[in-house]
């Protein structure tokens, strides 16, 4: 017992370790540290800010893990391993605190669990065909007679990925042509540099909000948030209602702790009905991170009555009300909105 007490870490030490892990991209370790820190907090060594910070970082780490699982799921979709894709996407839904991340995983799951088109089934059967009339004397597999087969597979993968976008974006993405589709798939693989080259080439011919948006995301991944912001704003100058551009810019503002800019943009999005559900949830999150717990609680008290936001709003409300010392209200929300909520 003595040794376990001696070596146990304080909430502050766990928080610092969690921050280190988070900054290094070790989100699972960070989440574990933050959860342990919350468990060890006591009224004597904590204040509302400590708890709110830890809860915020648990949410961020969970969302980061969920996004990584979506990336893995998309990779398995591209490789045709739908069972593995299912595993990663379901794990993403379990982890995600952000409703937009859960929705993306849900859409991908619904797509891969649809009955496969006959063309894909026939391709899979063709891959199993072992007739001597179409084999070489060494019985080597036919060279992906698959210039056609690969094209169809890539086309299906591209459609699967872009169909997660809201509104008319899937149709607009698919209208950009085969070269863009190829670059888009490359951007989602392990060669973003090549995709960036193709996007820049396409933009030299004609700029569009979609090309600017996709290029902005790649630049952010390459560690250039300033250029990313510039391109997102150029995209919105072309199409001010592009929902993913708006949401990404709000997320960029939040990540860089420009909370007032994020709040202003999110308010505009809700007023203009641009991803209104995601905007409201994110608006509450930003107010909470900024320290405006009362405003966040007011927003969540409204969104909890929106069916698609019920669970996300209730979970956030419980955390915020608890941190504000309003345990009875938190208990009421848990009992009436979270019990049996799937």
């Amino acid at each position: 017992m003595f040794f376990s007490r001696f070596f146990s870490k304080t909430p502050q030490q766990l928080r610092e370790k969690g921050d280190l892990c988070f900054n290094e991209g070790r989100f699972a370790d960070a989440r574990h540290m933050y959860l342990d820190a919350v468990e060890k907090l006591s009224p004597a060594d904590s204040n509302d800010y400590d708890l709110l910070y830890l809860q915020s970082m648990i949410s961020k780490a969970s969302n980061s893990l969920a996004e990584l699982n979506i990336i893995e799921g998309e990779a398995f979709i591209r490789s045709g391993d739908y069972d593995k894709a299912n595993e990663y996407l379901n794990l993403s839904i379990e982890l995600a605190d952000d409703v937009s991340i859960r929705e993306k995983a849900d859409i991908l799951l619904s797509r891969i669990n649809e009955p496969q088109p006959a063309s894909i089934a026939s391709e899979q059967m063709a891959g199993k065909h072992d007739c001597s009339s179409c084999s070489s004397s060494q019985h080597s597999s036919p060279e992906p007679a698959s210039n056609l087969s690969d094209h169809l597979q890539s086309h299906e993968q591209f459609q699967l990925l872009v169909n997660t976008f809201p509104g008319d974006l899937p149709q607009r993405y698919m209208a950009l042509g085969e070269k863009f589709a190829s670059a888009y798939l490359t951007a989602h693989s392990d060669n973003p540099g090549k995709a960036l080259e193709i996007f820049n080439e396409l933009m030299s011919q004609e700029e569009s909000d979609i090309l600017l948006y996709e290029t902005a995301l790649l630049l952010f991944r390459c560690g250039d948030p300033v250029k990313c912001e510039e391109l997102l704003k150029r995209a919105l100058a072309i199409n001010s209602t592009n929902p993913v551009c708006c949401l990404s810019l709000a997320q960029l503002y939040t990540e860089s702790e420009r909370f007032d800019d994020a709040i202003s943009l999110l308010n505009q999005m809700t007023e203009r009905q641009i991803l209104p559900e995601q905007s409201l949830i994110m608006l509450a999150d930003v107010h909470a991170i900024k320290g405006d717990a009362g405003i966040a609680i007011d927003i969540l008290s409204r969104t909890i009555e929106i069916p698609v936001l019920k669970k996300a709003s209730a979970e956030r409300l419980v955390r915020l009300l608890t941190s504000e010392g309003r345990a009875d209200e938190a208990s009421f929300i848990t009992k009436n909105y979270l019990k049996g909520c799937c």
Side-chain angles (χ1 to χ4, degrees):
M1 287 293 292
F2 171 78
F3 286 106
S4 65
R5 286 198 305 271
F6 184 80
F7 286 109
S8 66
K9 290 183 171 63
T10 66
Q12 180 63 25
Q13 289 172 321
L14 288 166
R15 169 180 164 167
E16 290 170 358
K17 179 67 173 173
D19 288 344
L20 180 63
C21 292
F22 187 90
N23 292 331
E24 292 175 350
R26 295 158 50 203
F27 301 120
D29 291 338
R31 184 172 180 270
H32 178 70
M33 294 295 171
Y34 294 136
L35 287 167
D36 281 356
V38 168
E39 286 183 7
K40 289 181 182 260
L41 282 177
S42 67
D45 62 7
S46 70
N47 54 50
D48 290 346
Y49 174 78
D50 290 333
L51 182 58
L52 194 58
Y53 176 83
L54 289 169
Q55 289 170 335
S56 168
M57 293 307 295
I58 290 168
S59 177
K60 280 188 175 184
S62 297
N63 287 332
S64 296
L65 281 171
E67 287 175 328
L68 289 175
N69 276 283
I70 285 180
I71 291 170
E72 290 292 332
E74 289 173 335
F76 280 112
I77 288 171
R78 288 193 296 275
S79 71
D81 190 340
Y82 292 161
D83 288 338
K84 275 289 185 185
N86 259 297
E87 286 180 31
Y88 280 100
L89 293 172
N90 278 306
L91 185 56
S92 176
I93 291 170
E94 289 176 23
L95 286 165
D97 198 30
D98 185 326
V99 65
S100 63
I101 297 174
R102 286 204 300 268
E103 283 181 354
K104 181 174 183 180
D106 270 330
I107 292 169
L108 283 169
L109 276 171
S110 68
R111 296 287 177 184
I112 65 178
N113 288 324
E114 285 176 356
Q116 292 185 339
S119 62
I120 297 178
S122 64
E123 286 170 32
Q124 290 173 339
M125 290 299 293
K128 294 179 181 177
H129 185 53
D130 196 23
C131 165
S132 59
S133 65
C134 46
S135 310
S136 71
S137 58
Q138 283 97 2
H139 296 286
S140 59
S141 308
E143 194 70 50
S146 61
N147 276 345
L148 175 62
S149 159
D150 284 350
H151 170 73
L152 288 172
Q153 186 181 28
S154 296
H155 181 68
E156 293 291 339
Q157 291 165 358
F158 177 65
Q159 281 191 316
L160 191 62
L161 292 173
V162 301
N163 273 329
T164 63
F165 287 114
D168 66 349
L169 282 176
Q171 293 77 17
R172 292 187 59 214
Y173 267 70
M174 287 185 276
L176 287 175
E178 189 174 325
K179 191 167 188 176
F180 171 80
S182 174
Y184 183 85
L185 290 175
T186 302
H188 283 71
S189 67
D190 57 356
N191 195 357
K194 179 62 177 175
L196 195 55
E197 286 180 24
I198 301 173
F199 286 153
N200 284 328
E201 180 188 338
L202 291 171
M203 278 201 297
S204 70
Q205 300 165 20
E206 183 181 5
E207 279 193 357
S208 74
D209 55 317
I210 290 175
L211 276 169
L212 286 164
Y213 169 74
E214 291 297 334
T215 305
L217 294 190
L218 284 177
L219 289 170
F220 185 83
R221 284 171 59 187
C222 294
D224 193 346
V226 175
K227 189 66 175 175
C228 170
E229 179 180 342
E230 178 191 323
L231 293 189
L232 287 175
K233 287 179 175 177
R234 277 167 58 186
L236 288 171
I238 293 172
N239 180 6
S240 65
T241 61
N242 185 313
V244 291
C245 285
C246 291
L247 194 64
S248 294
L249 185 56
Q251 290 170 334
L252 186 62
Y253 285 148
T254 304
E255 288 294 321
S256 56
E257 299 186 358
R258 293 155 61 186
F259 301 127
D260 290 339
D261 288 336
I263 288 167
S264 175
L265 178 54
L266 289 165
N267 277 323
Q268 291 174 38
M269 289 173 67
T270 56
E271 288 166 9
R272 299 171 67 191
Q273 289 296 291
I274 299 172
L275 298 180
E277 291 86 6
Q278 292 96 319
S279 302
L280 282 168
I281 284 290
M282 189 173 175
L283 186 61
D285 286 343
V286 175
H287 276 295
I289 295 168
K290 187 183 175 187
D292 300 330
I295 297 175
I297 289 171
D298 287 343
I299 295 169
L300 295 169
S301 297
R302 298 194 303 272
T303 59
I304 199 171
E305 300 302 333
I306 302 173
V308 70
L309 299 181
K310 175 183 172 182
K311 183 173 185 289
S313 299
E315 290 171 345
R316 285 164 167 76
L317 264 177
V318 168
R319 290 200 299 267
L320 283 170
L321 290 168
T322 301
S323 71
E324 293 289 291
R326 297 159 64 175
D328 289 346
E329 291 169 84
S331 176
F332 175 85
I333 295 296
T334 300
K335 180 179 179 181
N336 289 278
Y337 290 92
L338 289 175
K339 290 291 176 67
C341 183
C342 57

